Amino acid sequence: MTEPLDTTAIRKAELHCHIEGAASPSLVKAQARKYDADVSGFISGDTYVWSDFTEFLTAYDGAASLFRTEEDYALLARTYLEEIAAENAIYAEIFVSPDHAVAAGLSNAAYFGGLAEGIAQAKASSGIECRMIIVGIRHLGAEKVEAAARLAAARPHPLITGFGMAGEERFGQVADFARAFDIARDAGLGITIHAGELAGPESVRAALDHVRPSRLGHGVRAIEDTALVQRIADEGVVLEVCPGSNLALNVFPDISSHPFDRLRRAGVKVTLSSDDPPHFASSVGREYQMAADAWGYDAPELTEITRTAIEAAFVDAQTRANLLGQLD
Ligand code: HPA
Ligand code: ZN
């Protein structure tokens, strides 16, 4: 029996994290004191309280509503990035949601400017590199998602390099959102979409047909359809896999039933991310550790997962080369 590998020193990259979902309960409680708000509906002690995806979204929205200024967002981004840099993450992409910012009373300029400030502070203190992916919120409907795509296509900040869609996967048909993705793709943005976590393989197939993403958020329920797994492998579509999120949302009962390793063995390009870390008792470091413990990956195999992420990152060639150089 070999010793379990300590994955702390492995260089990591996270492609799938919702910035508002990265706010820890203690940070959100501090924000609640600042704004004299009540968070008892979704935080108890030092944990978020929810019991299904709908309640999770309510907790997420409640936390997001307490980030109301440029400084609040700078603090959130810096805190999250410095935490994962301490786990040896060298790169992260964060999903940013203009709809949440507007609801909290921020201008887009304040939202992106605050996040960029936090990103710059974390880069200065730790070296971590970060980019932003604007997401539309599916359950707000196609018009809102198209508005988010138009905003992204206008390139409101140089660190915004991608477009995606989050929210309730089971809302509407993916074809209804195809125009939003056409707008973003035509603007040269990287494309990713949530599919195949709460909805089944048909949602993955529809996403591939109508959106043609280079990456899928989750995609793990493709495992229910062998031909679809083969298609994902053949097309080289990269999966942003978030095992901790999938377990917390009961998509799979335990890590040994999780399809990450089966997808990898089938030739699918898989990466590891935390999604909404404190909601799912996760962090990118914990995801790597869980994968090493469950499937016995060694350091080169884990580094290969990071390499896959950086090869799929929405960054310029020079940044990608710099990041890949850090894996040698
Ligand atoms: N899934 C879908 N939408 C989301 C999530 C998530 O985990 N977090 C924030 N929006
Ligand atoms: Zn997500």
Side-chain angles (χ1 to χ4, degrees):
M1 178 84 188
T2 50
E3 284 289 299
L5 177 70
D6 177 349
T7 61
T8 311
I10 305 287
R11 300 250 158 105
K12 304 174 182 78
E14 164 140 281
L15 298 181
H16 189 124
C17 179
H18 303 259
I19 191 60
E20 288 85 6
S24 68
S26 65
L27 178 56
V28 171
K29 286 196 294 188
Q31 294 295 115
R33 287 192 291 278
K34 177 174 175 181
Y35 294 118
D36 195 22
D38 175 18
V39 295
S40 61
F42 59 93
I43 291 177
S44 170
D46 273 322
T47 48
Y48 283 109
V49 181
W50 50 263
S51 60
D52 59 19
F53 186 71
T54 306
E55 280 185 25
F56 157 72
L57 287 179
T58 303
Y60 183 98
D61 291 349
S65 74
L66 295 168
F67 293 85
R68 300 181 180 176
T69 67
E70 198 159 341
E71 293 71 31
D72 291 348
Y73 267 104
L75 176 65
L76 173 55
R78 175 169 62 84
T79 305
Y80 157 69
L81 289 168
E82 289 182 346
E83 274 170 17
I84 64 165
E87 298 180 330
N88 277 307
I90 59 171
Y91 182 70
E93 284 175 13
I94 55 175
F95 292 127
V96 304
S97 166
D99 290 292
H100 282 89
V102 166
L106 277 103
S107 68
N108 287 321
Y111 185 48
F112 302 137
L115 289 165
E117 175 60 26
I119 290 169
Q121 288 169 355
K123 183 172 178 175
S125 66
S126 71
I128 191 168
E129 195 71 61
C130 179
R131 296 292 183 273
M132 297 186 254
I133 299 173
I134 288 186
V135 287
I137 306 300
R138 183 167 180 151
H139 55 266
L140 298 182
E143 269 179 40
K144 281 274 170 55
V145 176
E146 272 177 47
R150 283 193 298 274
L151 172 61
R155 302 299 191 118
H157 193 282
L159 292 179
I160 294 169
T161 56
F163 178 73
M165 183 162 72
E168 175 52 80
E169 265 181 44
R170 296 162 292 193
F171 180 92
Q173 299 296 315
V174 79
D176 302 340
F177 302 93
R179 246 170 60 105
F181 285 94
D182 289 343
I183 292 165
R185 196 183 315 97
D186 288 350
L189 291 158
I191 300 292
T192 178
I193 176 171
H194 282 66
E197 184 186 35
L198 297 173
E202 68 290 345
S203 75
V204 175
R205 227 178 251 290
L208 296 177
D209 289 344
H210 295 286
V211 170
R212 305 194 311 280
S214 64
R215 304 188 337 217
L216 285 165
H218 304 292
V220 284
R221 287 192 56 196
I223 198 70
E224 296 165 32
D225 179 335
T226 310
L228 180 59
V229 171
Q230 190 60 48
R231 176 177 174 187
I232 294 169
D234 290 346
E235 295 183 4
V237 174
V238 174
L239 302 194
E240 305 155 4
V241 184
C242 310
S245 169
N246 301 156
L247 297 187
L249 291 167
N250 291 317
V251 180
F252 306 101
D254 49 42
I255 192 69
S256 57
S257 335
H258 193 282
F260 181 89
D261 189 62
R262 278 177 283 154
L263 290 162
R264 181 172 169 275
R265 287 172 189 280
V268 174
K269 293 183 181 177
V270 285
T271 64
L272 286 168
S273 292
S274 67
D275 211 359
D276 302 276
H279 288 272
F280 305 139
S282 177
S283 69
V284 68
R286 274 179 236 154
E287 299 292 341
Y288 273 68
Q289 189 63 53
M290 190 157 60
D293 293 345
W295 299 299
Y297 298 148
D298 60 15
E301 287 171 317
L302 293 165
T303 303
E304 200 52 38
I305 292 169
T306 304
R307 187 180 312 279
T308 300
I310 289 171
E311 284 169 350
F314 299 152
V315 286
D316 57 279
Q318 182 61 58
T319 305
R320 194 184 323 279
N322 289 345
L323 291 165
L324 288 172
Q326 294 179 48
L327 301 184
D328 295 335

